[in-house]
Amino acid sequence: MIKMQTISTNFEKKSTTIISIILLALLLFSSTLVQADEWVYSTRPGDTIWDISKKHLKSVTYWTRVQKHNNVDIAKQLAPGTRLRIPLEWLKTPATTATIVSASGEVQLESAETGQISTINSKQTINYGDSIQTGDNSSALVQFADGSTLLLQKNTHVIFNTISSYGQTGMVDTRLRLQQGRVETSVRPQGKSGSRYEITTPAAVAAVRGTQFRVAYTPDQKTMGSEVVEGNINVAAENLEQPVRQGFGTITEQGKPPQEPVKLLEKPDLDKISNRIRFLPFNLEWQALNGAVQYRIQLSPGNTPETLVYEQTSNTNQHSLNNISDGDYILRIRGIDKSGLEGFNAEHILNIDTNFPEVNLSSPVMNDELTEPPYTFNWQTTKVVENYHIQISTDTDFSNLIFDDYNESTSLTLNDKLPLGTYYWRVAAIDTDGSRGKFSQIESFIVDENRYELLLILLYILPAFLI
């Protein structure tokens, strides 16, 4: 009996300890929730609750609420450093605007106020309720009041549901709705400030406090992809919240909870790609990445790496660049797995320089007739070059070359007699790096008999024949 009482007493002690731990955990969890919905203000010398309420709250009359909420004696002066807890719903939340930093390609803005659709220009403002639509091979970079950015990729539609700030607290409330397409975000770390940043799709909601992540929504498949490059996010759907940490991604199908996060693909190896391109089209080729079924290829200007000027996908580890303006770029390539999640970017500095001096042929041109050597060829160029490559052929595709050599000046002389017939010639400039530009236009000339010499012979022989 005594043994049973001892066992019962020990059980009661253990139960009491477990219950205490659970209650403490619940209390801490509850406190965390309260902190998440509150702004904590640290008082400064001379601060009063009245002044704080006038500056930060919806009404100066809220000072009594602050007093009761924090159990502060109004008769006593607040010591500097006093921490006041203020519910977020009491703060001033005036609507603010976002700014379009850059736009490339076909980008349109639909005004929530007027319903008018217009083409977007850089430095244009976005208001609450406005929406942006990007076209094929288009992009737009948006910056919010706290410095966070949103990059809209091609064929993307975003509605700006909320763009607010909590008065002068430095906190912001940014909520977007992604109807289709892909966005990349860089959110400034908010810490415990109470700021909110959310991206909603018809499938799920991605919420974050300071990170770099990507969200994609495919309307026909009704799926949302979330990829965390840096930091952490929470993806919520169907009453389930799924944490996703750095280096992982998750797929959420509409009407279902988020799937278990999976590891993102590593960045591909771009070492085989040259840093300088002299001719377009140019074939990019990189080492195939395990697990990748596709690749995304992006180009950003070297001086504004957060913007996009080019974006395509490839089913292989090769891609041809065409119609890209000369300049310095950052090339980004990342793998896409079978579920559609995109991995880490590999970056590569790229210089495109196709600006070779243009060569214009002067003579012979337009089937000029040449008879006896020496044959002289002349051309012009607008810039000083190192060397020239000259080709002469009997056909227009230059498969049957009779001359293929280099020359430092803008003139060439051939002393050997050419057989009668039609010939074609062209010249290309070579720069100091040894790179050859495109060949000039093709010109033609005809090598024929010297008719004047034949006439003189006839005039000499004919009288003797007549005698």
Side-chain angles (χ1 to χ4, degrees):
M1 185 70 178
I2 295 174
K3 186 176 182 181
M4 291 296 295
Q5 287 179 347
T6 303
I7 293 174
S8 177
T9 302
N10 291 337
F11 177 76
E12 289 178 359
K13 288 181 178 179
K14 290 181 179 179
S15 299
T16 303
T17 302
I18 293 172
I19 293 172
S20 299
I21 293 173
I22 292 173
L23 289 174
L24 179 60
L26 289 173
L27 181 62
L28 291 173
F29 180 69
S30 175
S31 175
T32 302
L33 290 178
V34 170
Q35 289 295 327
D37 292 331
E38 292 184 337
W39 175 52
V40 179
Y41 177 81
S42 184
T43 59
R44 298 169 177 79
D47 270 347
T48 66
I49 296 179
W50 190 89
D51 289 333
I52 295 170
S53 301
K54 182 180 179 182
K55 183 176 182 180
H56 297 294
L57 306 189
K58 293 178 180 178
S59 171
V60 69
T61 60
Y62 276 49
W63 71 268
T64 56
R65 302 186 188 187
V66 176
Q67 178 191 0
K68 293 178 181 178
H69 190 68
N70 291 272
N71 195 24
V72 177
D73 188 350
I74 192 64
K76 295 181 180 180
Q77 187 173 1
L78 295 175
T82 301
R83 293 169 65 84
L84 298 177
R85 295 182 297 105
I86 301 174
L88 296 183
E89 61 183 17
W90 296 357
L91 295 172
K92 296 177 182 177
T93 55
T96 185
T97 60
T99 304
I100 298 171
V101 177
S102 67
S104 175
E106 182 184 352
V107 184
Q108 292 184 327
L109 171 69
E110 182 175 356
S111 171
E113 182 178 356
T114 64
Q116 183 177 358
I117 299 176
S118 60
T119 300
I120 281 181
N121 298 312
S122 298
K123 308 306 179 184
Q124 192 168 342
T125 57
I126 304 171
N127 297 293
Y128 161 77
D130 290 351
S131 65
I132 293 180
Q133 174 76 54
T134 61
D136 192 30
N137 201 25
S138 303
S139 65
L141 180 67
V142 177
Q143 186 174 56
F144 299 99
D146 65 341
S148 298
T149 58
L150 177 77
L151 177 64
L152 286 75
Q153 296 175 217
K154 65 178 183 178
N155 300 320
T156 295
H157 182 200
V158 171
I159 301 173
F160 294 81
N161 288 339
T162 301
I163 314 175
S164 300
S165 62
Y166 290 100
Q168 301 180 38
T169 65
M171 296 184 297
V172 296
D173 185 3
T174 304
R175 281 172 276 176
L176 318 169
R177 184 167 184 85
L178 176 62
Q179 297 291 83
Q180 71 171 30
R182 292 187 61 89
V183 294
E184 298 184 30
T185 67
S186 178
V187 183
R188 292 188 61 186
Q190 306 299 345
K192 297 181 180 179
S193 68
S195 291
R196 175 163 53 182
Y197 190 101
E198 290 182 355
I199 298 179
T200 301
T201 73
V205 178
V208 62
R209 290 191 180 187
T211 191
Q212 292 183 12
F213 70 109
R214 302 187 290 255
V215 174
Y217 181 71
T218 309
D220 55 346
Q221 299 177 0
K222 297 183 178 180
T223 59
M224 168 178 160
S226 307
E227 305 139 10
V228 183
V229 178
E230 182 179 312
N232 303 278
I233 68 171
N234 289 324
V235 178
E238 299 300 312
N239 299 318
L240 179 66
E241 190 171 276
Q242 176 65 66
V244 185
R245 58 189 176 91
Q246 178 174 318
F248 285 78
T250 183
I251 296 291
T252 307
E253 298 179 37
Q254 193 167 334
K256 297 181 181 180
Q259 297 177 12
E260 193 71 22
V262 297
K263 193 172 183 180
L264 300 179
L265 295 178
E266 297 295 330
K267 59 183 180 181
D269 184 357
L270 307 184
D271 287 344
K272 290 183 179 180
I273 300 176
S274 173
N275 290 107
R276 196 177 192 202
I277 295 176
R278 301 308 309 271
F279 301 98
L280 293 175
F282 180 84
N283 187 53
L284 300 171
E285 184 175 357
W286 57 94
Q287 186 174 338
L289 187 64
N290 290 335
V293 297
Q294 276 190 314
Y295 298 89
R296 186 172 297 277
I297 300 97
Q298 297 176 330
L299 279 181
S300 297
N303 56 350
T304 54
E306 67 278 5
T307 63
L308 280 183
V309 295
Y310 181 87
E311 180 182 22
Q312 292 293 335
T313 56
S314 173
N315 294 327
T316 68
N317 58 320
Q318 296 185 30
H319 182 72
S320 181
L321 286 181
N322 294 279
N323 301 321
I324 307 295
S325 300
D326 285 1
D328 294 320
Y329 295 94
I330 296 176
L331 169 69
R332 294 187 186 91
I333 299 178
R334 58 178 178 259
I336 305 174
D337 66 19
K338 61 183 180 181
S339 66
L341 290 174
E342 304 192 2
F344 286 97
N345 283 321
E347 295 192 351
H348 189 75
I349 296 175
L350 211 59
N351 171 259
I352 299 178
D353 181 10
T354 62
N355 186 26
F356 287 93
E358 183 178 349
V359 177
N360 296 311
L361 306 185
S362 302
S363 63
V365 294
M366 300 292 290
N367 289 326
D368 283 349
E369 290 189 3
L370 305 182
T371 54
E372 296 299 320
Y375 309 114
T376 302
F377 300 84
N378 296 291
W379 58 91
Q380 298 176 342
T381 184
T382 56
K383 296 180 180 179
V384 177
V385 299
E386 187 76 8
N387 211 345
Y388 297 94
H389 186 187
I390 306 99
Q391 290 185 333
I392 302 174
S393 176
T394 58
D395 52 17
T396 55
D397 60 2
F398 288 80
S399 60
N400 185 28
L401 293 171
I402 65 165
F403 184 88
D404 185 15
D405 209 343
Y406 298 85
N407 195 57
E408 293 182 356
S409 69
T410 57
S411 179
L412 172 70
T413 300
L414 297 182
N415 294 311
D416 295 334
K417 184 174 178 61
L418 295 175
L420 303 182
T422 300
Y423 295 86
Y424 304 90
W425 71 295
R426 61 184 183 181
V427 179
I430 300 173
D431 65 13
T432 54
D433 292 337
S435 298
R436 189 190 69 189
K438 295 181 180 179
F439 275 103
S440 65
Q441 79 280 7
I442 299 173
E443 288 291 355
S444 62
F445 63 93
I446 299 172
V447 175
D448 203 353
E449 294 179 342
N450 191 333
R451 297 174 183 176
Y452 294 104
E453 182 178 344
L454 179 60
L455 179 59
L456 290 174
I457 293 174
L458 290 175
L459 290 176
Y460 178 80
I461 296 176
L462 185 58
F465 179 77
L466 293 174
I467 294 173

